[in-house]
């Protein structure tokens, strides 16, 4: 008989070693399979993330404001689950930052503001929730910036101008959503001194973005500056607001209703200019919200706010 190649002079120990070798082989094969499956899973998630981040989402282009509000929470949790698998995927981080900021503003913060006159406590509760959602949006933006510029989150706290100066044009979208989310979180709770001091971070983000590309998203940063300037103590600089409005109007060609609403609130109400107020709201309501797909949802929301402001005209003007 031929000799068993797995046996030595001690048959029992050789069989034990063989079983162990087979066990290690099976374990290694299983690990390789899991690693392969993990790679495929991450690849699939990255593909989904790239698709979600490409162009306007179905939420931004949908004309049914209430349908979007009902669907967004599920979508945002789905994006968060994808980020558990690929936590540094830039497209998913932008999608999450944008989604949480949009949801908070349109469906939590603004309703809370509208409700405050009738039910102060409920309105306050909603705005506190909105603040938490804005900060969640900020966290996603900062995670994306941190991946590209290690240490930048802390640097924004200590030296905002220096931190903002590190950001390149290819990350301007993250800069926008970081600035918007932080600014809105401060607006939602202006009594929080620890947040108010962070306005200098918002200023630094905005100024850097304007340096990088002042035409981005057809003047979105100019509209942002108009809103931010008007919120400053004393109402901000009139020249800055006028220039921001003019440039935003020029770049957007008057296709964003929100610009007119923002100007009405930034200039007409503080100056008690009823004629300007009516003019701006009329312009906002005259925009065809369905004519420009990428602004469809935002235009519907802006027109909803314009109608609410018009209903409060006797309280706003004395």
């Amino acid at each position: 008989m031929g000799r068993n190649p797995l046996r030595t002079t001690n048959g029992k120990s050789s069989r034990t070693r063989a079983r162990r070798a087979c066990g290690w082989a099976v374990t290694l094969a299983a690990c390789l399979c899991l690693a392969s499956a993990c790679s495929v899973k991450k690849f699939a998630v990255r593909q989904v993330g790239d698709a979600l981040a490409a162009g306007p989402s179905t939420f931004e282009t949908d004309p049914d404001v209430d349908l979007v509000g009902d669907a967004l929470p599920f979508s945002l949790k789905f994006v968060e689950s994808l980020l558990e698998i690929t936590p540094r995927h830039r497209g998913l981080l932008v999608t999450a930052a944008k989604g949480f900021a949009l949801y908070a503003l349109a469906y939590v913060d603004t309703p809370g503001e509208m409700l405050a006159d009738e039910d102060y406590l409920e309105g306050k509760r909603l705005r506190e929730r909105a603040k938490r959602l804005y900060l969640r949006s900020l966290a996603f933006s900062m995670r994306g910036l941190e991946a590209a510029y290690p240490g930048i989150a802390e640097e924004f706290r200590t030296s905002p101008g220096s931190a903002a100066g590190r950001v390149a044009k290819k990350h301007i979208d993250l800069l926008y959503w970081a600035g918007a989310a932080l600014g809105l979180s401060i607006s939602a709770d202006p009594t929080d001194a620890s947040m108010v001091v962070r306005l200098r971070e918002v200023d630094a983000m905005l100024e850097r973005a304007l340096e990088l590309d002042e035409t981005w998203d057809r003047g979105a940063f100019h509209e942002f500056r108009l809103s931010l300037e008007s919120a400053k103590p004393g109402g901000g600089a009139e020249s800055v607001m006028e220039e921001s409005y003019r440039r935003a109007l020029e770049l957007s060609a008057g296709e964003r209703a929100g610009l007119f609403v923002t100007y009405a609130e930034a200039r007409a109400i503080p100056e008690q200019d009823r004629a300007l107020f009516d003019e701006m709201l009329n312009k906002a309501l005259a925009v065809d919200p369905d004519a420009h797909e990428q602004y469809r949802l935002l235009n519907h929301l802006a027109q909803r706010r314009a109608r609410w402001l018009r209903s409060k005209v006797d309280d706003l003007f004395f």
Side-chain angles (χ1 to χ4, degrees):
M1 292 180 63
R3 187 177 179 185
N4 187 335
L6 295 179
R7 290 193 63 169
T8 64
T9 52
N10 185 339
K12 184 176 179 180
S13 62
S14 65
R15 284 194 299 272
T16 300
R17 283 195 296 271
R19 282 197 296 272
R20 286 177 179 169
C22 286
W24 280 111
V26 170
T27 302
L28 179 60
C31 286
L32 289 173
C33 284
L34 285 172
S36 176
C38 224
S39 296
V40 170
K41 189 176 184 180
K42 286 184 177 179
F43 175 77
V45 169
R46 284 194 290 268
Q47 293 297 105
V48 172
D50 291 342
L52 287 173
S57 69
T58 56
F59 294 109
E60 293 170 277
T61 58
D62 197 295
D64 192 322
V65 173
D66 295 321
L67 176 64
V68 172
D70 291 339
L72 259 175
F74 172 81
S75 175
L76 292 173
K77 291 306 297 179
F78 174 64
V79 170
E80 283 190 313
S81 70
L82 296 180
L83 281 167
E84 288 292 322
I85 300 167
T86 55
R88 292 159 66 93
H89 187 284
R90 184 174 178 280
L92 286 174
L93 289 170
V94 172
T95 299
K98 180 195 298 187
F100 274 103
L102 176 62
Y103 178 73
L105 176 63
Y107 301 102
V108 185
D109 195 3
T110 299
E113 183 184 1
M114 292 178 175
L115 187 61
D117 289 340
E118 301 171 17
D119 188 337
Y120 174 77
L121 290 179
E122 179 60 14
K124 184 173 184 291
R125 185 192 71 79
L126 286 173
R127 301 207 75 188
E128 287 172 349
R129 181 183 175 223
K131 176 184 174 183
R132 294 193 296 272
L133 291 170
Y134 289 137
L135 292 176
R136 205 155 162 178
S137 168
L138 175 64
F140 287 120
S141 296
M142 293 309 299
R143 189 197 299 182
L145 289 171
E146 188 73 24
Y149 313 97
I152 198 170
E154 181 57 30
E155 190 176 355
F156 263 117
R157 295 278 197 148
T158 57
S159 183
S162 174
R166 295 172 61 189
V167 181
K169 185 176 179 179
K170 63 182 178 180
H171 296 115
I172 197 171
D173 50 356
L174 286 167
L175 202 57
Y176 176 82
W177 291 110
L182 182 53
L184 287 166
S185 68
I186 296 169
S187 175
D189 184 8
T191 63
D192 186 345
S194 67
M195 292 300 298
V196 172
V197 297
R198 299 189 67 184
L199 269 173
R200 63 192 192 122
E201 296 175 50
V202 183
D203 275 326
M205 292 174 186
L206 176 57
E207 291 308 313
R208 176 56 177 166
L210 286 167
E211 287 175 9
L212 292 171
D213 183 5
E214 57 103 14
T215 69
W216 184 80
D217 195 19
R218 302 182 68 186
F221 281 108
H222 289 286
E223 186 175 337
F224 182 13
R225 185 168 66 169
L226 169 61
S227 179
L228 182 64
E229 191 68 20
S230 69
K232 290 181 178 179
E238 180 179 326
S239 60
V240 173
M241 288 188 282
E242 284 301 311
E243 172 60 19
S244 298
Y245 172 73
R246 184 196 65 76
R247 190 66 177 128
L249 181 62
E250 181 181 346
L251 290 169
S252 67
E255 294 173 359
R256 284 205 298 261
L259 174 60
F260 302 117
V261 177
T262 299
Y263 192 73
E265 294 189 83
R267 296 302 309 278
I269 296 175
E271 294 175 15
Q272 290 292 284
D273 189 335
R274 174 70 181 271
L276 178 62
F277 180 80
D278 290 337
E279 178 190 350
M280 289 296 110
L281 293 192
N282 286 339
K283 286 184 176 181
L285 293 169
V287 172
D288 181 354
D290 299 315
H292 312 287
E293 188 180 65
Q294 71 271 37
Y295 302 130
R296 180 177 286 154
L297 177 64
L298 293 176
N299 279 336
H300 277 285
L301 290 169
Q303 290 181 340
R304 176 180 284 187
R305 185 172 183 83
R307 286 188 286 270
W308 173 69
L309 286 170
R310 177 168 281 177
S311 73
K312 288 172 57 65
V313 66
D314 291 335
D315 297 323
L316 296 172
F317 292 87
F318 307 100

